[in-house]
Amino acid sequence: MNNERIKNALNITLLIAVSGLLGLIFLDYILPVLLPFIISYVAAYLSNRPAAYLEKKTNLPKRYLRMVISILSLLFIFFLVFVIVKRSGIALWQFASRLLEGDNIRSFIESVLEPIEATFGSIIPAELTEGVVDSLKSLFSAVISSIGSFVTGLASLLPKVFLFLVITVISLVYFAIDFEGLHERVGNMLPANVRKKLSDMRIRFLDV
């Protein structure tokens, strides 16, 4: 009985270890390659209904409307993320830099200690205050250095991001133009019960 329990525990442990290893391999090596195509397929799928609506209004081919809608939406999202990251980085850099200028840290500490000293008197030694100020300056200096390294790392990623965007847009053109055929081919690759469940979920949550 104990041997059976040990065997089951070892099998479960081995299964968890193998699953974790396969998951890491998928996240590190496979997902980055598939991600542009996954994004393109999802974008083409989401733009299908707006394209069908515009097709009725304009009599333009749905495949080209779907391509234009999905590409413009994707570029807008990329641009929005870029602006948010850029402005957040600049704001963080300016905030950390201002704290190191002049006596900003000292003024902040004095403003925190002022109500305490007004109530209990000056019970905090000046040496302790000086030590806290010096420690905070060292801390923010390290933070600024880390921010600089982070920004430098982002700059080195720009070619990869540009290549990712180009691959995504190219695949999106193909997926948007041949979406019906691609959707059918992907559906035929899935088991019948999986197709039915996905169809039920689509009808239930997306009403399509």
Side-chain angles (χ1 to χ4, degrees):
M1 189 69 176
N2 290 333
N3 291 335
E4 188 68 22
R5 289 181 177 177
I6 294 174
K7 183 178 179 180
N8 291 335
L10 289 176
N11 290 334
I12 294 174
T13 303
L14 180 61
L15 179 62
I16 293 174
V18 172
S19 300
L21 179 60
L22 293 177
L24 289 176
I25 293 174
F26 177 79
L27 292 176
D28 287 341
Y29 299 101
I30 300 177
L31 183 60
V33 177
L34 296 179
L35 191 57
F37 306 102
I38 295 174
I39 293 175
S40 300
Y41 183 83
V42 173
Y45 180 83
L46 293 177
S47 62
N48 193 45
R49 292 188 70 183
Y53 174 79
L54 290 177
E55 182 186 28
K56 296 178 181 178
K57 297 295 184 180
T58 61
N59 293 324
L60 294 174
K62 185 169 71 172
R63 59 175 61 187
Y64 299 117
L65 290 171
R66 184 168 51 222
M67 180 183 67
V68 172
I69 293 171
S70 54
I71 289 178
L72 291 179
S73 301
L74 185 65
L75 291 178
F76 174 76
I77 292 173
F78 270 97
F79 175 76
L80 188 62
V81 171
F82 172 77
V83 170
I84 292 174
V85 171
K86 180 182 177 181
R87 291 190 176 181
S88 300
I90 292 175
L92 183 61
W93 179 276
Q94 292 176 345
F95 172 74
S97 300
R98 281 197 300 268
L99 285 176
L100 291 177
E101 292 177 357
D103 293 331
N104 289 334
I105 295 179
R106 184 187 303 277
S107 300
F108 173 74
I109 294 176
E110 290 177 351
S111 65
V112 172
L113 297 179
E114 185 176 356
I116 301 176
E117 293 181 350
T119 305
F120 301 102
S122 181
I123 58 176
I124 300 177
E127 294 81 5
L128 178 60
T129 302
E130 293 292 335
V132 172
V133 170
D134 293 337
S135 298
L136 288 176
K137 283 186 176 180
S138 301
L139 175 62
F140 282 109
S141 296
V143 170
I144 288 181
S145 299
S146 301
I147 294 174
S149 301
F150 177 73
V151 172
T152 303
L154 286 180
S156 65
L157 288 177
L158 285 179
K160 295 181 180 179
V161 173
F162 179 75
L163 179 62
F164 179 88
L165 180 59
V166 170
I167 295 174
T168 304
V169 171
I170 293 175
S171 59
L172 182 55
V173 171
Y174 170 73
F175 289 168
I177 292 178
D178 190 35
F179 177 75
E180 284 79 7
L182 179 66
H183 188 66
E184 183 178 356
R185 290 192 293 271
V186 172
N188 291 334
M189 295 171 59
L190 301 175
N193 57 337
V194 175
R195 291 201 305 269
K196 187 177 184 307
K197 289 181 180 180
L198 291 175
S199 178
D200 293 340
M201 291 176 60
R202 182 184 63 186
I203 295 173
R204 180 179 178 182
F205 295 106
L206 300 178
D207 191 26
V208 293

